Amino acid sequence: MLGTLAGIACIVAQALIPAAIGVAIDDGIIDRDQTALLWWGAAILALGTVQALTGLLQDRCGLTASLGAAYRTLQLVTAQATRLGGTLRKKASTGEVVSVGVADITQLGATLETTGRFVGAVVVIVVVAGIMLATSWQLGVVVLVGVPVMVWAVGLLLRPLHGRQQHLREQQADLTTHAVDISSGLRVLRSIGGEAQFSRRYRQMSQRVRGAGVRVAGVEAALDSAKTLLPGLLLVTVVWLGAESVLAGRLSVGQLVAFYGYAVFLATPLRRVADGADQFTRGNVAAARVIRLLRIEPEHGSGTTPLPDGPAELVDPDAGLRVPPGRFLAVACATPSDAALLADRLGRHTGTAATFGGVPLRDAPLEQVRARILVATNEDRLFDGSLRAELDPADRSDGLHAMIEASSAQDIVEALPDGLDQPVVGAGQEFSGGQRQRLRLARALMTGPDVLVLVEPTSAVDAHTEARIAQRLSQARTGRTTVVFTTSPIMLNAADRIAVVVGGRVVTEGTHQGLRGDARYRRIVAREDEA
């Protein structure tokens, strides 16, 4: 609001300068009145001072509004991404989220910064038109008719520009998603020789984005031409009619100078009106994309029934799986899809009838479920930053080295030049698959949830490392509940109890030694041994 008021005051003060100059010429110079000339000169100086001060205030307020809008939108988008969790990947592409977080929030800030100038331009056009109507109604009518015609002409170009900009943003989001996929899977692409094919596809998509950009640029070029040509035509018309009025004796010399000043001055607010309309169009496209992201709702809402304090039994009635509190339970599934689905249900990452201490997870506050039950899978990513901050995001410090040792990751840290202060870049691409798996396990252990659900946490490590992890995991999680979905006999042998799942349901339970005689269990474990 302050920026808008400052913008109005700045441009109105600038608009009144030609009128003051015209009166100074008529009353001071032509009438040879030195006092009048001094007074009107002082008035021009005062108007210039007001213009300078309010212009500074407008720029300051505009920049503040721009940065505030951008950062506030970024906060909302970040909070929404956190609230959606796993739903975000299903409802929005990576490119779309990146485009919103980089381009769209900047555009919204630029649009808000333009608002003060746009409103000031509209107000000053009305003020100047009123002065001109009072002085010469013919010229006032020209301005009042010319401005709407210009706005209408610019509007004809804004409609196709809106659609082409929207299409360009969508193409850019798809290209960004493709680029992220290539960069994150470059090692795999090289191993299978798919670099050339993906490079060709990227070039094709890039050319489509280029074509969309050229089409947008064509409309923008026509719009820029119209923003320069139309105000110029209006200026020429006003000066020509004003000169005729002076020759006819209807205007004085000072009024003609004032009208010329108005004609030159009007080019600026008219251009601001056109620029503002262009910015509002871009802002509308950006706002629509941000709103579409903010409107996404989590697949499973948050309840209000609190979870019980302390250790409690976790139960999935659909599978018949019961996880006793404070125990190390291994779950051997006949198919990997059953393991993924059961883990998601235990952590309420999908629709579930699971209960914790008798309270249905779907009825509990989502933040409580996430704080008490952690599901860690091999799809979890490492983030950029120091390794210490990656493994200990809550900055607990105490116990970090113990958790690194429990996940058998101390050799990774020791091999790094800066140890725990080593930067992690590119989602940890500098680490091998087994190293990333151990670092993810250390991070999960450091979180220290009441219930830790691990899905194949040792599938990428050798047998000796796996044996160390199996032994240390049980010790690191003493007194707390741990569920490991695995078919590895090394990990199964370390568990307190094993639940065997076939066809999505628990068919038998026991220890690794006690289940050796069960044919279904032998088939599951034998497949792991063969692998």
Side-chain angles (χ1 to χ4, degrees), residues 357-411:
V359 176
L361 294 182
R362 60 171 175 264
D363 295 337
L366 187 59
E367 59 273 13
Q368 281 194 19
V369 177
R370 294 288 177 266
R372 305 284 297 277
I373 305 173
L374 174 64
V375 178
T377 72
N378 290 319
E379 295 179 358
D380 299 340
R381 62 173 293 146
L382 299 175
F383 297 94
D384 290 357
S386 70
L387 183 59
R388 184 187 306 275
E390 176 63 26
L391 300 183
D392 186 16
D395 195 22
R396 293 187 176 92
S397 298
D398 295 338
L400 177 57
H401 290 283
M403 295 304 110
I404 292 175
E405 184 178 358
S407 60
S408 193
Q410 65 271 23
D411 61 314

Side-chain angles (χ1 to χ4, degrees), residues 223-458:
L223 182 61
D224 289 339
S225 300
K227 289 190 292 188
T228 302
L229 176 63
L230 295 178
L233 291 175
L234 183 61
L235 184 150
V236 171
T237 302
V238 169
V239 172
W240 177 59
L241 293 176
E244 281 194 339
S245 298
V246 170
L247 293 176
R250 294 190 297 271
L251 286 178
S252 66
V253 176
Q255 288 174 328
L256 176 60
V257 173
F259 267 96
Y260 178 78
Y262 291 143
V264 174
F265 164 76
L266 280 175
T268 298
L270 289 172
R271 190 176 296 111
R272 286 185 178 181
V273 169
D275 289 340
D278 182 24
Q279 285 289 352
F280 291 149
T281 300
R282 296 170 182 267
N284 184 48
V285 173
R289 292 170 59 84
V290 173
I291 290 173
R292 184 163 60 246
L293 180 62
L294 295 179
R295 281 181 173 174
I296 299 176
E297 290 295 329
E299 290 180 319
H300 313 289
S302 182
T304 58
T305 305
L307 294 177
D309 296 331
E313 186 179 45
L314 181 62
V315 179
D316 184 343
D318 292 337
L321 178 65
R322 308 183 75 88
V323 183
R327 302 294 296 279
F328 179 1
L329 175 71
V331 182
C333 296
T335 59
S337 60
D338 283 344
L341 180 59
L342 268 172
D344 282 345
R345 291 211 301 251
L346 291 177
R348 195 187 159 190
H349 290 282
T350 186
T352 181
T355 63
F356 182 74
V359 176
L361 294 182
R362 60 171 175 264
D363 295 337
L366 187 59
E367 59 273 13
Q368 281 194 19
V369 177
R370 294 288 177 266
R372 305 284 297 277
I373 305 173
L374 174 64
V375 178
T377 72
N378 290 319
E379 295 179 358
D380 299 340
R381 62 173 293 146
L382 299 175
F383 297 94
D384 290 357
S386 70
L387 183 59
R388 184 187 306 275
E390 176 63 26
L391 300 183
D392 186 16
D395 195 22
R396 293 187 176 92
S397 298
D398 295 338
L400 177 57
H401 290 283
M403 295 304 110
I404 292 175
E405 184 178 358
S407 60
S408 193
Q410 65 271 23
D411 61 314
I412 305 174
V413 177
E414 292 170 356
L416 297 174
D418 297 325
L420 287 173
D421 296 322
Q422 179 77 16
V424 178
V425 296
Q429 291 298 319
E430 67 269 31
F431 301 114
S432 67
Q435 288 176 328
R436 287 199 300 272
Q437 192 172 57
R438 285 183 281 163
L439 291 175
R440 286 194 294 261
L441 177 59
R443 181 177 60 184
L445 291 173
M446 192 62 193
T447 304
D450 292 346
V451 180
L452 177 60
V453 181
L454 302 172
V455 181
E456 297 292 350
T458 56

